[in-house]
């Protein structure tokens, strides 16, 4: 497959998942949904991605690379790290994040991807592991409390929870 065809196919697949993410939760989207929307063969999808999780991971990795931020920012100010990524995304990406805010599978793939990126260069750094644990705890608490806080809107509050290790009453 020529480079141009690979690029075009990946673009079609990424556009298909974006459209689907605006329509329904990530956990309900199947590879069949993606290939039907992209008008490609299932085997073609698997030439480019292992599964739908790999697709999201590659898109997010690209977004982080384009945002030109340091993974060390995650260790010291994780919620500002996420906000920087969001500020550097398109309007469609922001709509997708808002639409997917209640889908646990979507949150898990995002956190797992960030963990992979951060740990790639900081695997022996205990602070990185503890940061990830605290962020996961805060996001789980937020989920249990009806998604009270949004990274895009409430970054100062979330960062304060991280720093003080106290949840608001």
């Amino acid at each position: 497959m020529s480079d141009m065809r690979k690029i075009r196919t990946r673009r079609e697949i990424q556009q298909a998942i974006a459209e689907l993410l605006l329509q329904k939760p990530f956990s309900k989207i199947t590879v069949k949904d993606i290939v039907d929307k992209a008008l490609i063969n299932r085997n073609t999808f698997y030439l480019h991605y292992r599964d739908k999780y790999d697709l999201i991971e590659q898109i997010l990795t690209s977004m982080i690379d384009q945002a030109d931020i340091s993974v060390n920012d995650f260790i010291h100010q994780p919620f500002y790290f996420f906000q920087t990524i969001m500020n550097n995304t398109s309007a469609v990406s922001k709509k997708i994040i808002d639409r997917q805010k209640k889908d646990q599978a979507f949150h898990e793939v995002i956190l797992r991807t960030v963990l992979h990126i951060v740990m790639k260069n900081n695997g022996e750094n205990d602070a990185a592991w503890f940061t990830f644990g605290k962020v996961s705890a805060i996001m789980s608490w937020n989920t249990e409390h009806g998604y009270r806080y949004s990274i895009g809107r409430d970054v100062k509050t979330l960062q304060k929870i991280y720093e003080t290790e106290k949840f608001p009453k």
Side-chain angles (χ1 to χ4, degrees):
M1 187 181 294
S2 74
D3 285 345
M4 290 301 288
R5 282 184 31 199
K6 285 181 185 178
I7 292 168
R8 187 176 23 243
T9 301
R10 283 179 171 260
R11 186 183 64 224
E12 294 298 323
I13 293 169
Q14 290 176 5
Q15 287 175 340
I17 190 74
E19 290 175 24
L20 289 165
L21 288 168
L22 288 169
Q23 296 169 5
K24 60 184 179 178
F26 175 72
S27 57
K28 304 283 187 207
I29 295 171
T30 64
V31 170
K32 182 178 181 348
D33 294 334
I34 298 166
V35 299
D36 288 351
K37 182 70 99 173
L39 301 173
I40 61 167
N41 183 297
R42 190 177 187 90
N43 291 335
T44 302
F45 176 89
Y46 288 115
L47 285 173
H48 298 276
Y49 304 101
R50 289 185 311 272
D51 52 28
K52 70 178 187 175
Y53 296 92
D54 183 43
L55 170 58
I56 294 297
E57 288 171 15
Q58 289 190 38
I59 292 169
L60 183 60
T61 299
S62 176
M63 289 170 63
I64 291 171
D65 289 344
Q66 290 173 10
D68 193 34
I69 53 179
S70 165
V71 292
N72 287 326
D73 294 341
F74 175 78
I75 294 169
H76 302 291
Q77 295 188 311
F79 290 99
Y80 287 107
F81 174 88
F82 288 122
Q83 184 185 46
T84 301
I85 294 168
M86 287 186 64
N87 288 343
N88 287 291
T89 63
S90 68
V92 171
S93 295
K94 289 176 184 169
K95 286 181 185 175
I96 289 169
I97 291 166
D98 187 58
R99 172 70 171 89
Q100 297 298 319
K101 69 183 173 192
K102 293 186 179 181
D103 190 285
Q104 192 62 34
F106 188 76
H107 286 275
E108 288 172 8
V109 73
I110 288 175
L111 287 174
R112 188 175 58 242
T113 301
V114 170
L115 175 67
H116 174 75
I117 292 167
V118 170
M119 292 307 162
K120 183 170 51 176
N121 298 320
N122 296 288
E124 299 301 316
N125 185 332
D126 291 346
W129 285 103
F130 282 105
T131 297
F132 186 76
K134 284 172 62 174
V135 167
S136 296
I138 293 166
M139 298 310 290
S140 294
W141 174 87
N142 196 39
T143 300
E144 289 298 314
H145 288 83
Y147 302 94
R148 192 184 313 180
Y149 300 105
S150 159
I151 291 173
R153 186 185 64 238
D154 304 307
V155 68
K156 288 180 182 176
T157 302
L158 290 166
Q159 187 63 36
K160 183 177 179 184
I161 294 168
Y162 172 82
E163 292 166 0
T164 64
E165 298 181 355
K166 295 190 184 318
F167 295 112
K169 301 288 182 221

